[in-house]
Amino acid sequence: MRQKRLFLGICMTLLVVITQAQERELPKFRLGGALRFNYNFCDWKPGHRDRGGDFGFDVLYFKLSGSYRNILLSADYRFYSKDFGGPMLKYGWIGYQFNDRNQIQLGLTGVPFGIQPIASHNFFLQIAYYIGLEDDSDMGIKYLYQGDHWDFTFAFFKNADELLFGSDNETTDDRYGYDVAGRNKEINQFNGQAFYKFGESTRQRLGGSAEFGQLYNLDTRDNGTHYALALHYELATERISLKAQLTTYAMYPKNADGEDDEVLSMTAYGAPYLVAAKANVYMLGAGYTIPVNRKFLKKVQVYNDFGWLDKRNNDYKDSFQNVTGCMLDGGPVCIYVDYALGKNHGWLGPDFNGFGPGGESDSWHARFNVNVGYYF
């Protein structure tokens, strides 16, 4: 009889515990990421011509998203090779979802500038990425509103992703998005962005972006300024994707006497280079998706993305980028096959400071690239 009462008591206790657990909302987390490998052949590298290019490790990264009631978490941590910056946090923020339309984010969060989330179709992104105006994240706070026809985003960034906290430390090279480096640092930046959405079967977005901030110089301890403005348009159907953007930017550093104000150092992936302080940027990309629906291949997207960095200094040589390629979507496995052309381009040619004054070659160079990734 005592054993029966004990058994009933244990059952009642378990029932109460289970009921309370069901009533209490538990945190929800999801872990994703990718492992990628890369083959590339660069026509300006003698070693590549001798051995037919190189094939090796690209990146291993993990993406964590979580929610508890209205509190959100999102982070992306990447492991690149040492020569490309090593481990780095692409973004990581804590947020709060007020309702279906309003959200706030705090931390290393994406800069709302230009077409979102990226202005390109290919593996190399668009030319704006290489001057810090695409797929960048900075440290600050961001408010987002999503309506039926209008989207608005406003943000304040205290600085870029800061990894060294000494008074006179330069911006480190181990980062994903390009930021001003060397003797200048990005501080106190304001961003605003608006999109008007229209269309049903043909979805379209017309938008504008504005960015204003300061540049703190470590030598003079004075604050310069910088700004960027953009107009952008997107069209998307089940098969067609079109992206167009016009951008103008200028940076006015307060450098020490004798320092050149027409170029600034920018850095990412472990490698700083020079960028023109003032330029206009013109970008146009188009993609077409072909459904396949086979066992190992779901769809193919073919595309071409063109970018032109029109430098305002007449003594500088303009920079160009054109990427023609296709994306093979096989479910968890995704393959980008790209033929990338660059002129006065830091990553597509021998002129690493091509985005600044321009390179000595002042000619087009080609890179054939195949990136294979397993996404989970």
Side-chain angles (χ1 to χ4, degrees):
M1 190 69 174
R2 293 179 61 186
Q3 291 177 341
K4 184 177 181 180
R5 287 199 298 270
L6 178 61
F7 176 74
L8 290 175
I10 293 173
C11 290
M12 290 299 295
T13 302
L14 288 174
L15 182 61
V16 170
V17 171
I18 292 171
T19 302
Q20 290 179 344
Q22 290 176 338
E23 293 176 350
R24 186 174 69 248
E25 184 178 351
L26 299 176
K28 301 175 184 178
F29 295 98
R30 183 184 182 279
L31 182 65
L35 173 64
R36 300 194 319 223
F37 303 97
N38 204 73
Y39 166 80
N40 73 92
F41 176 88
C42 303
D43 68 0
W44 66 92
K45 295 182 179 181
H48 277 200
R49 294 197 296 269
D50 292 341
R51 59 182 180 268
D54 288 323
F55 180 58
F57 169 73
D58 176 27
V59 66
L60 170 66
Y61 69 82
F62 299 96
K63 299 176 72 170
L64 178 66
S65 60
S67 63
Y68 175 66
R69 296 182 179 175
N70 289 0
I71 302 173
L72 308 175
L73 165 71
S74 184
D76 182 322
Y77 199 85
R78 305 195 166 204
F79 298 87
Y80 287 95
S81 64
K82 181 179 179 181
D83 284 348
F84 284 88
M88 63 184 70
L89 182 67
K90 180 184 178 184
Y91 62 79
W93 52 264
I94 300 169
Y96 188 81
Q97 189 77 43
F98 294 95
N99 48 48
D100 292 340
R101 295 177 182 263
N102 297 274
Q103 182 185 112
I104 195 167
Q105 301 174 3
L106 176 70
L108 183 62
T109 181
V111 176
F113 189 88
I115 294 174
Q116 298 294 311
I118 55 176
S120 51
H121 303 86
N122 67 86
F123 173 74
F124 292 95
L125 301 177
Q126 259 288 11
I127 198 168
Y129 170 75
Y130 299 95
I131 54 174
L133 293 176
E134 181 182 355
D135 203 16
D136 183 30
S137 295
D138 289 332
M139 288 298 303
I141 186 168
K142 181 171 68 176
Y143 164 76
L144 304 94
Y145 169 84
Q146 291 186 323
D148 294 330
H149 293 287
W150 285 97
D151 292 344
F152 297 102
T153 307
F154 301 98
F156 170 73
F157 298 102
K158 187 65 189 73
N159 44 252
D161 31 333
E162 195 66 69
L163 302 176
L164 302 175
F165 295 96
S167 177
D168 298 320
N169 289 121
E170 295 184 357
T171 300
T172 58
D173 302 327
D174 46 344
R175 62 193 57 242
Y176 173 87
Y178 277 90
D179 293 307
V180 173
R183 304 307 292 169
N184 288 285
K185 305 186 77 163
E186 300 174 14
I187 63 169
N188 301 332
Q189 178 176 303
F190 293 88
N191 282 80
Q193 186 172 63
F195 289 98
Y196 178 69
K197 303 176 291 185
F198 55 100
E200 295 182 3
S201 59
T202 300
R203 302 176 302 278
Q204 300 178 72
R205 291 204 305 175
L206 179 64
S209 303
E211 175 179 302
F212 299 90
Q214 294 179 307
L215 296 171
Y216 177 76
N217 188 274
L218 295 171
D219 298 320
T220 63
R221 299 176 63 182
D222 289 330
N223 289 325
T225 59
H226 70 93
Y227 75 84
L229 303 170
L231 292 174
H232 29 84
Y233 170 78
E234 301 165 77
L235 180 149
T237 68
E238 187 176 348
R239 296 196 178 189
I240 299 172
S241 171
L242 179 66
K243 301 182 180 185
Q245 182 169 317
L246 303 175
T247 305
T248 185
Y249 76 87
M251 296 181 279
Y252 301 96
K254 290 292 184 67
N255 291 336
D257 292 340
E259 294 291 326
D260 189 355
D261 293 341
E262 291 296 315
V263 291
L264 280 89
S265 175
M266 300 196 80
T267 192
Y269 284 99
Y273 54 52
L274 297 179
V275 170
K278 306 175 190 68
N280 301 317
V281 189
Y282 314 107
M283 302 187 302
L284 179 63
Y288 185 80
T289 300
I290 305 168
V292 178
N293 297 319
R294 300 296 182 183
K295 183 176 182 180
F296 296 109
L297 185 61
K298 306 303 180 185
K299 60 184 178 181
V300 177
Q301 185 185 51
V302 294
Y303 48 74
N304 191 88
D305 293 321
F306 172 78
W308 171 18
L309 182 65
D310 179 17
K311 301 164 189 175
R312 292 195 225 167
N313 188 323
N314 293 329
D315 294 329
Y316 287 1
K317 303 170 185 175
D318 290 349
S319 298
F320 298 89
Q321 172 182 313
N322 192 83
V323 183
T324 303
C326 64
M327 184 271 291
L328 310 175
D329 185 352
V333 176
C334 185
I335 303 173
Y336 285 88
V337 182
D338 290 316
Y339 183 72
L341 291 168
K343 183 177 181 181
N344 297 310
H345 193 297
W347 288 102
L348 299 175
D351 310 310
F352 201 62
N353 289 317
F355 292 121
E360 294 182 3
S361 66
D362 193 29
S363 58
W364 289 91
H365 296 276
R367 170 171 169 167
F368 177 69
N369 198 87
V370 181
N371 188 271
V372 181
Y374 185 98
Y375 295 81
F376 56 89

